[in-house]
Amino acid sequence: MFLSVFDLFKIGIGPSSSHTMGPMTAAARFLEELEGNDWPRPAGVKVERVGASLHGSLAYTGIGHGTDRAVILGLAGQVPQTVDPDKAEAIVAAVTAEKRISPPGRSSYRFDPAKDLVLDKKTPLTGHANGMAFYAYDGADRLLLKRIYYSIGGGFVVSDEELQRIKAKGTVTTEGKKVPYPFKNAVEMLNMAGKSGLSIAEMKRVNEETHMSREELDTGLDAVWNAMLGCIERGLTQEGIMPGGLKVRRRARQLHDKLQEQWQQNRPNPLLANDWLSIYAMAVNEENAAGGRVVTAPTNGAAGTLPAVLRYWLHFHPEADQPSIRDFLLTAAAIGGIIKSNASISGAEVGCQGEVGSASAMAAAGLCAVMGGTPEQVENAAEIALEHHLGMTCDPIAGLVQVPCIERNALGAVKAVTAASLAIKGDGKHFVPLDAAIETMRQTGLDMSEKYKETSLGGLAVNVVEC
């Protein structure tokens, strides 16, 4: 099993990795196949029109998560890594007005979002809660090509065929990549660490450097952190109402200014660290809610927790340096890979325990590692953080990644720091193994009602009178 650190930490745009980045990627994949010659078509017949349908959670909360916009952008030739958030609205407006997609350097096709993009709440696709289908038609409206894709969390997208292969193997894998330390769970990770004498970050580094140079790895890690830090800094400068109709006001800048004032006046604040953690996390998730540039960590909905903890490390620990940032990310990615491979990081599949819960566990592990924790203490930190998110539902009001998502990231960061602090004061021995917590999360997700898995059909989403 090998999931790269760059599989988990993807630079893209908000507001959702599964509902925005994933559908954009799927649409771009369909467009790529459409332009190729690897699918059968009658001689002389041309594709004239394309269409798409969203199913399951994508249909229920697609508008609030910007899934419709994401599909339009993907069909227009955009991908999450490079799309300019400031130009996205203009691209969508042009497609809507012209009723055509005209990707740069590619063929032009008829596509009227009002008719050709369907939110189908009645027909779930069987592979995953986040299912979507794309269609290509000729001039007589005969179907030439249909492809089904699933957005399985964290920006990961698989075709129907790929998902069947994954389910047959019982794990998410990056095929064809053999690594020296192929741990698929926490027990194997600790055993390999004990035999090799390496830290979790060092094992993860060796695995990564099997497929890239050290310079490439470090450059990539630095780019991920710079994107995270940039998101925090942007979020601390923005004000106003976030889009979507809830009229939720940004708070990070105002809270930051107040905290800075207290800092300068040397006023005692026993909750200082928690305040900074919360503000950093909220800054990221307000940017995400506004469709800004973010990093999946491991998802967009949970994008603020890990950057907040890493920024806290730099803020409050004088020993923090660039190598420690890389070790933090590598350790976090190792834990995230185990969680994704054995359970899920998708809110539509297991609820928010799989998003903020996973993010908190990853952040706790990363912080514990850079504070000098042993592999056993790191595993303990991850378990503590995850255990105390078990059962957390995903019930975004109006399908928007705003309430309760923004504050929930702040509390996930606080829990992560607490978990790391508790773990590093112990000897690594503890009652509940991380693997047991991960399996519990998976089983809880299976038992959880669909109302609480990113459909906005239960919980806060239906119990706030104003909505």
Side-chain angles (χ1 to χ4, degrees), residues 15-355:
S16 172
S17 50
S18 60
H19 287 56
T20 311
M21 289 174 59
M24 191 186 304
T25 299
R29 279 187 60 174
F30 180 73
L31 183 67
E32 187 77 23
E33 182 174 2
L34 206 59
E35 294 286 309
N37 297 312
D38 294 333
W39 61 279
R41 70 183 89 184
V45 174
K46 293 176 59 178
V47 175
E48 297 289 345
R49 180 172 70 89
V50 297
S53 57
L54 305 175
H55 302 261
S57 176
L58 295 182
Y60 280 105
T61 60
I63 299 298
H65 285 68
T67 309
D68 52 339
R69 295 172 64 256
V71 169
I72 294 170
L73 289 168
L75 291 175
Q78 302 295 318
V79 292
Q81 294 85 352
T82 58
V83 62
D84 185 342
D86 295 330
K87 297 180 179 178
E89 285 299 333
I91 295 172
V92 172
V95 171
T96 303
E98 297 167 8
K99 300 180 181 180
R100 295 192 71 84
I101 55 169
S102 302
R106 299 177 184 271
S107 302
S108 176
Y109 306 102
R110 287 189 290 119
F111 176 74
D112 181 358
K115 297 178 181 180
D116 297 321
L117 180 53
V118 178
L119 275 69
D120 186 347
K121 298 179 181 179
K122 297 181 180 179
T123 314
L125 299 179
T126 57
H128 190 277
N130 292 334
M132 67 202 102
F134 292 87
Y135 313 88
Y137 304 90
D138 65 10
D141 266 352
R142 291 176 297 188
L143 180 65
L144 300 177
L145 179 66
K146 176 183 177 180
R147 287 290 182 262
I148 294 175
Y149 297 96
Y150 297 100
S151 181
I152 60 175
F156 288 85
V157 171
V158 293
S159 67
D160 197 28
E161 296 77 14
E162 290 166 344
L163 184 64
Q164 296 310 313
R165 290 198 296 269
I166 289 170
K167 289 186 174 182
K169 293 179 179 179
T171 184
V172 178
T173 64
T174 302
E175 296 181 4
K177 291 188 175 182
K178 295 183 178 180
V179 294
Y181 301 103
F183 50 83
K184 63 179 180 290
N185 54 48
V187 168
E188 291 185 0
M189 178 183 72
L190 293 179
N191 286 339
M192 291 179 188
K195 291 179 181 178
S196 67
L198 299 177
S199 70
I200 294 170
E202 287 169 338
M203 290 193 298
K204 186 66 175 170
R205 176 174 284 277
V206 171
N207 285 348
E208 297 286 349
E209 290 179 359
T210 305
H211 306 289
M212 69 185 76
S213 70
R214 172 157 296 202
E215 182 180 12
E216 289 173 325
L217 176 59
D218 287 344
T219 298
L221 292 171
D222 293 347
V224 165
W225 169 238
N226 287 335
M228 290 178 173
L229 183 59
C231 189
I232 292 174
E233 292 175 344
R234 285 194 309 276
L236 294 177
T237 64
Q238 302 300 308
E239 293 181 304
I241 303 295
M242 288 177 285
L246 284 184
K247 298 182 180 179
V248 175
R249 184 174 296 277
R250 287 179 182 251
R251 291 181 290 160
R253 177 174 180 174
Q254 181 184 15
L255 293 172
H256 174 262
D257 291 346
K258 288 183 178 180
L259 200 54
Q260 284 281 47
E261 182 181 344
Q262 291 178 4
W263 183 279
Q264 292 167 2
Q265 293 175 354
N266 290 322
R267 293 168 59 182
N269 181 358
L271 296 176
L272 184 64
N274 283 359
D275 288 347
W276 280 113
L277 275 167
S278 299
I279 290 168
Y280 291 146
M282 291 171 66
V284 171
N285 283 87
E286 287 176 359
E287 275 295 292
N288 178 61
R293 179 74 61 198
V294 296
V295 180
T296 60
T299 67
N300 281 30
T305 296
L306 190 145
V309 174
L310 189 43
R311 183 66 183 86
Y312 155 88
W313 162 249
L314 294 171
H315 189 150
F316 287 97
H317 291 261
E319 69 272 28
D321 57 12
Q322 196 68 22
S324 70
I325 294 173
R326 297 166 185 161
D327 286 344
F328 186 111
L329 293 173
L330 288 167
T331 305
I335 298 301
I338 291 173
I339 294 173
K340 178 165 178 58
S341 297
N342 293 285
S344 176
I345 58 172
S346 168
E349 196 168 19
V350 296
C352 198
Q353 58 175 351
E355 295 205 31

Side-chain angles (χ1 to χ4, degrees), residues 393-397 404 408 449 451-453 455-464:
T393 61
C394 182
D395 52 351
I397 295 176
R408 189 168 283 175
S449 168
K451 294 191 301 182
Y452 303 112
K453 294 194 284 189
T455 58
S456 292
L457 295 175
L460 286 176
V462 299
N463 285 302
V464 178

